[in-house]
């Protein structure tokens, strides 16, 4: 049993999860923050605190014993239940809603026990068990992991059917986050559409619910499962910010619910829309992980914590610590006209400018001459590659590059041998039309035979060819989500089963082919989330390769996800989407802010352009450790400024990069001061192009002046620490 003194002692021992028996509080502490759960006299778990770490145990509030407000707002609706289950007097968004086999739809979860595990490094875990007090033999375990150095907590839940009858789960959420009482929260979130993903938006929350979600079968470009909340006054480097993200690539939902008593609750997990799960006796359901964090130091720290967390704990281990290579992708150069000859000539050019991975995109298989046919037939098209892929792969390897290839495994064109053979392998309702989008249908990955088909063709492709990079695409959303032949009570499971099968296939492939790097793509950034980033090494953020539009797309991306996972190509000018012409240097600067790729038709690049490309790629190779693994500071946002400026520093503040982009010159405006961040205050630095040394403080407080002229001008400024004072 731990007294308060013991608790303080434990804190000195650096434990990040402790139970204080006197106060009946579980205290989860990271470097700067605390998350506190209490047990009330009726064995309910209440969340009592999430914010700045407080010095004394007595500083933390205990559970809420209020008697409620009226018969319409009783205590159950007032207290911040850590994992509210639907039943009794609860009317807000539940974490769990179940129908039992006798049609009872009511739950009352009560505490039964807990376990703390102090793990290696900086992670500690807490499990708290609850059971349904109405004896329906349902057990819920809540899991928490504290990442001490990062001020980040993960939570998820597991529901176990301990009874003799099946039960139907109608909603199961990963968890809730409660914010300190206030009625003035501002939500920052990412929204968009195809070719305009991860656009950052802000809105003040008022009473009621604001929901961001996907009902499309995959993450979707329309909203992203990430959020940040502040009191309307946080900025990049100051202010309280609570943030979170869901690790799920299927239908998801995050509800921000402000009660009429000023309590904001964030509930997130698998979308309950059209969802149900038949939980058989002795089986369990585990939710996706919901990650949350808090900082007093603004959106910049919130992003950098997420970046470090992803680098250290999310990205698949095989390649997490490797620098991402420079890719060439031939999509915009040849579209569906891929063949051995065109690809070989592009490969030679790509190698000559310093590319490290050569990727052929759509069009290499089946009868794939346009988007009308071929998906599902994953055999090499003999007209385009008469001798198969091997000679091309050998050429690419002999040129010193890895070979990569595009696939879209979850899809089928009706005009394909696969569909002619297996018209029942898709989601459909018998007798109803099968809605096509981009002339394709979605394969039913909930089926074991379909899952095995996909695994086997991928295994075959990777086993027979020296492929080191896979671009895994997904170009339409679900319709008619039927699974004929399966019991009606199981059919709505497809939303979850599809994603679980996808994860399983990728995990099995990764295990067998650990050297292969996976890129997640869904018509651009339609599948960017912490679930896919646990399994795939990087993401394609958008089909929009206009280097100016990318500044906003990449800025939004950077709020939630790390630059190492953000692939950006330099493509041809004028850009195919907006018709905008931009200098090659500007296009490089924009793409060098993440994992650099080249996507233009190199056969059309002039000698001068090839020379610029050689220089810029070699420069990128010098700076990529800082870009991909350093700290990112958003200095000037493209949403609100004529100049965009983003700074990257290595973790020690020794090497600094500032990317600056001018939109358009007006009224002969003079250069603006750009104030740097995150430098060592008393160290002396040298700014490229100047012979003088200048202190970190001066760079941060006086700033630097970058001359940008005309329209769409850009510069990359390198700054190095020379000595400590
Ligand atoms: C999607 C991807 C593109 C490209 C095409 C190929 O749109 O986002 O990058 O791979 O498919 O059909």
């Amino acid at each position: 049993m731990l007294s308060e003194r013991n608790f303080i002692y434990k804190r000195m021992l650096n434990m990040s999860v402790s139970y204080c028996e006197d106060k009946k509080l579980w205290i989860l502490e990271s470097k700067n923050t605390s998350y506190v759960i209490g047990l009330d006299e009726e064995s309910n778990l209440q969340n009592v605190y999430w914010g700045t770490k407080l010095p004394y145990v007595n500083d933390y509030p205990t559970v809420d014993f209020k008697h409620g407000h009226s018969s319409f707002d009783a205590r159950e609706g007032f207290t911040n239940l850590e994992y509210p289950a639907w039943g009794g007097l609860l009317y807000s968004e539940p974490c769990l809603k179940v129908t039992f086999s006798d049609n009872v739809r009511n739950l009352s979860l009560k505490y039964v026990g807990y376990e703390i595990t102090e793990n290696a490094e900086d992670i500690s875990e807490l499990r708290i068990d609850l059971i349904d007090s109405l004896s329906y033999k349902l057990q819920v375990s809540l899991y928490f992991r504290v990442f001490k150095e990062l001020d980040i907590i993960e939570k998820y839940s597991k529901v176990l059917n301990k009874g003799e009858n099946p039960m139907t789960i109608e909603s199961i959420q990963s968890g809730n986050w409660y914010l300190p009482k206030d009625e003035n929260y501002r939500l920052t979130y990412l929204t968009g559409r195809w070719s305009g993903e991860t656009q950052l938006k802000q809105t003040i929350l008022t009473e009621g619910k604001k929901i961001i979600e996907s009902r499309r079968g995959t993450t979707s470009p329309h909203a992203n499962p990430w959020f940040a909340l502040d009191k309307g006054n946080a900025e990049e480097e100051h202010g309280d910010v609570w943030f979170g993200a869901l690790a799920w690539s299927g239908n998801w939902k995050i509800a921000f619910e402000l009660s009429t008593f000023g309590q904001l609750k964030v509930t997130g997990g698998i979308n309950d829309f059209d969802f149900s799960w038949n939980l058989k006796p002795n089986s369990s359901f585990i939710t996706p992980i919901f990650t949350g964090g808090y900082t007093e130091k603004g959106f910049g720290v919130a992003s950098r914590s997420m970046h470090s967390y992803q680098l250290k704990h999310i990205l698949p281990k095989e390649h997490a610590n490797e620098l991402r290579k420079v890719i060439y992708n031939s999509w915009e150069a040849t579209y569906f006209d891929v063949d051995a000859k065109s690809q070989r000539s592009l490969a030679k050019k790509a190698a000559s400018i310093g590319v490290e991975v050569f990727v052929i995109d759509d069009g290499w298989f089946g009868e794939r001459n346009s988007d009308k046919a071929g998906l599902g037939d994953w055999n090499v098209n003999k007209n385009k590659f008469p001798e198969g892929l091997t000679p091309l792969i050998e050429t690419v390897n002999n040129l010193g590059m890895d070979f990569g290839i595009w696939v879209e495994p979850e899809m089928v064109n009706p005009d394909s041998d696969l569909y002619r053979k297996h018209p029942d392998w898709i989601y459909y309702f018998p007798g109803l039309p099968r809605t096509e989008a981009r002339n394709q249908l979605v394969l039913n990955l909930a089926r074991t035979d379909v899952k095995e088909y996909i695994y086997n063709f991928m295994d075959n492709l990777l086993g027979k060819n020296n492929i080191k990079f896979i671009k895994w695409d997904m170009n339409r959303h679900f319709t008619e989500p039927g699974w004929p032949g399966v019991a009606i009570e199981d059919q709505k499971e497809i939303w979850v089963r599809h994603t679980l099968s996808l994860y399983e296939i990728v995990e099995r492939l990764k295990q067998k082919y650990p050297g292969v790097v996976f890129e997640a793509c869904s018509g651009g950034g339609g599948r960017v989330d912490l679930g896919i980033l646990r399994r795939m090494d990087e993401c394609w953020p958008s089909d929009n390769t206009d280097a100016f539009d990318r500044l906003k797309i990449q800025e939004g991306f950077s709020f939630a996800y790390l630059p190492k996972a953000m692939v950006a190509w330099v493509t041809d000018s004028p850009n195919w989407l907006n018709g905008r012409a931009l200098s090659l240097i500007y296009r490089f600067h924009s793409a060098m802010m993440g994992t650099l790729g080249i996507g233009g038709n190199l056969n059309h690049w002039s000698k001068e352009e090839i020379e610029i490309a050689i220089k810029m790629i070699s420069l990128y190779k010098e700076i990529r450790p800082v870009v991909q693994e350093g700290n990112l500071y958003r200095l000037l946002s493209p949403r609100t400024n004529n100049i965009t400026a983003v700074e990257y520093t290595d973790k020690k503040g020794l090497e600094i990069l500032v990317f600056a982009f001018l939109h358009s010159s007006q009224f002969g405006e003079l250069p603006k001061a750009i104030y740097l961040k995150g430098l060592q205050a008393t160290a002396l630095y040298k700014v490229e192009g100047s012979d003088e040394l200048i202190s970190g403080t001066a760079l941060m407080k006086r700033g630097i002046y970058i001359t940008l002229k005309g329209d769409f001008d850009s510069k990359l400024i390198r700054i190095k620490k020379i000595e400590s004072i």
Side-chain angles (χ1 to χ4, degrees), residues 359-380:
V359 185
I360 64 168
D361 210 277
D362 199 351
W364 59 270
F365 52 90
E367 292 305 311
R368 189 74 170 163
N369 299 313
S370 69
D371 61 17
K372 294 199 169 58
L375 281 177
D377 300 340
W378 298 104
N379 43 304
V380 181

Side-chain angles (χ1 to χ4, degrees), residues 194 331 336 361-362 368 406 408 438 471 473 475 521-524 540 543 569:
W194 174 78
W331 172 243
F336 292 100
D361 210 277
D362 199 351
R368 189 74 170 163
W406 177 96
E408 194 177 353
R438 209 194 191 208
K471 175 175 172 185
D473 209 341
N475 278 311
C521 173
S522 180
W540 178 231
D543 278 355
W569 304 342

Side-chain angles (χ1 to χ4, degrees), residues 35-209:
Y35 184 91
V36 185
I37 302 164
L39 184 63
D40 72 20
E41 86 286 14
E42 287 172 5
S43 294
N44 296 311
L45 282 188
Q46 293 184 18
N47 183 273
V48 297
Y49 183 77
W50 186 29
T52 300
K53 183 156 140 183
L54 305 177
Y56 305 112
V57 182
N58 276 343
D59 291 335
Y60 294 119
T62 44
V63 287
D64 190 351
F65 285 110
K66 271 198 297 271
H67 294 300
H69 175 259
S70 66
S71 60
F72 303 103
D73 289 294
R75 194 177 129 190
E76 285 86 340
F78 261 78
T79 51
N80 292 341
L81 292 178
E82 179 62 33
Y83 198 76
W86 191 65
L89 288 155
L90 183 93
Y91 301 101
S92 61
E93 198 75 14
C95 276
L96 186 63
K97 182 173 187 299
V98 166
T99 300
F100 292 102
S101 55
D102 59 0
N103 285 331
V104 165
R105 305 186 322 280
N106 192 83
L107 275 168
S108 171
L109 296 180
K110 301 290 175 188
Y111 167 78
V112 283
Y114 78 96
E115 189 182 13
I116 293 172
T117 325
E118 292 285 331
N119 272 348
E121 291 181 58
D122 65 337
I123 310 168
S124 302
E125 291 188 10
L126 165 68
R127 193 196 73 235
I128 305 183
D129 296 325
L130 309 164
I131 53 155
D132 181 40
S133 64
L134 306 172
S135 80
Y136 275 95
K137 304 222 167 121
L138 172 142
Q139 180 180 308
V140 178
S141 298
L142 305 181
Y143 294 84
F144 303 86
R145 298 177 83 203
V146 184
F147 295 84
K148 196 163 178 196
E149 288 304 310
L150 301 170
D151 291 324
I152 273 180
I153 296 175
E154 287 181 353
K155 51 167 82 171
Y156 65 95
S157 71
K158 178 171 149 186
V159 173
L160 172 65
N161 182 352
K162 289 177 127 183
E164 272 115 52
N165 298 306
M167 53 183 78
T168 306
I169 303 177
E170 287 161 23
S171 173
I172 176 162
Q173 300 302 299
S174 301
N176 278 332
W177 302 100
Y178 293 95
L179 277 87
K181 264 203 169 166
D182 200 306
E183 281 156 24
N184 299 305
Y185 280 106
R186 175 174 64 173
L187 168 68
T188 303
Y189 64 108
L190 297 170
T191 178
R193 55 177 188 244
W194 174 78
S195 83
E197 298 86 340
T198 51
Q199 300 297 303
L200 197 87
K201 291 277 158 72
Q202 297 191 310
T203 184
I204 300 293
L205 295 171
T206 53
E207 287 78 0
K209 263 184 243 176

